[in-house]
Amino acid sequence: MNIVKYKSIFLGIALVLVVASIASLGIFGLKRGVDFTGGTLWQVRFEADGVERDSVREAFIERGGADRLL
């Protein structure tokens, strides 16, 4: 295959892909995750059932994490 001979075709395909990518970003946008929004994600696992949300919140505040609560 002679790539130089078909350069206009390959450049056209590349141009179509670039335009489609830019249009996709414009239509759908970027999905923001933890990487873009900043902050820390805490995952807590409990062995017992029936743990109340308020008790977890109080324990978190006692350990100096009050400024990190939603």
Side-chain angles (χ1 to χ4, degrees):
M1 173 182 242
N2 190 357
I3 294 176
V4 176
K5 181 178 177 181
Y6 300 110
K7 72 176 179 179
S8 60
I9 294 173
F10 291 123
L11 287 174
I13 292 171
L15 181 65
V16 167
L17 291 175
V18 167
V19 169
S21 299
I22 293 172
S24 175
L25 281 174
I27 294 170
F28 301 111
L30 292 174
K31 304 297 182 208
R32 293 188 172 204
V34 175
D35 298 342
F36 293 106
T37 57
T40 303
L41 175 66
W42 289 57
Q43 292 183 353
V44 182
R45 183 177 301 185
F46 299 97
E47 294 180 3
D49 291 336
V51 177
E52 296 293 326
R53 179 179 179 182
D54 292 333
S55 62
V56 173
R57 182 178 292 270
E58 289 172 10
F60 196 65
I61 290 171
E62 288 173 4
R63 288 168 178 78
D67 60 334
R68 297 183 183 109
L69 292 175
L70 295 176

